[in-house]
Amino acid sequence: MKKLLTFSLLLTVLLGNSGAGCSGSKSDDPQPDQFISLIGRWELTEGEVYVQDAGQPQRMIGKSGPGLAYIFYTDGSYDGCVLPGSEWDNTSQLGQSGSWNCTSNKPGRWALKVTKLDGKTIDDGTLTLTAPTLPSPFVLEKLFVGTASGGSANVTVLVGDTPVKTDASGRTSWATYHFVKK
């Protein structure tokens, strides 16, 4: 009986302590819902497309410039914008030079997953944009959202890579996008 009581007490202590320290979240865990730094208008400064053949160094095969923007809202929706006449204007939109054409019905949804923080800066994460008009989600991985030097001033930037794709020959490709908050 004494052994049974000792065993029961030991089992109770073990089971009671097995959940210790496993609360739902710690205060220093990334909390994506709290990132208001993403809210607002982001304009593309450049996009670069890279490829890498097996056993070879990576090389840039294309570059895109300004003319694309996204506006992120707190409700999880976003608008896409293009400058008429820019390389991003694939429908030859009309409008005044320098005047953005944006979606106005906010059909797109954005989702942010933060995996690493550096203070209030997103040091690593994934941003996923979906919309009924997109054939597949637009995903930016290795996401960085924070402050960087932009000439003589500091600017808020969003930098991310598309997921790496591999073709049948083993060639990998991806793109890197650089946005500035306006």
Side-chain angles (χ1 to χ4, degrees), residues 110-161:
W110 63 271
L112 175 65
K113 179 182 178 196
V114 177
T115 52
K116 184 178 177 189
L117 291 174
D118 183 10
K120 292 189 176 204
T121 298
I122 298 171
D123 204 28
D124 189 28
T126 301
L127 176 64
T128 304
L129 306 181
T130 57
T133 56
L134 292 176
S136 61
F138 176 63
V139 178
L140 291 177
E141 301 175 325
K142 301 178 187 171
L143 190 71
F144 171 84
V145 179
T147 304
S149 292
S152 61
N154 287 336
V155 293
T156 303
V157 297
L158 181 152
V159 179
D161 293 349

Side-chain angles (χ1 to χ4, degrees), residues 51-62:
V51 297
Q52 184 172 16
D53 294 310
Q56 299 294 315
Q58 73 181 30
R59 64 186 194 281
M60 183 173 44
I61 62 168

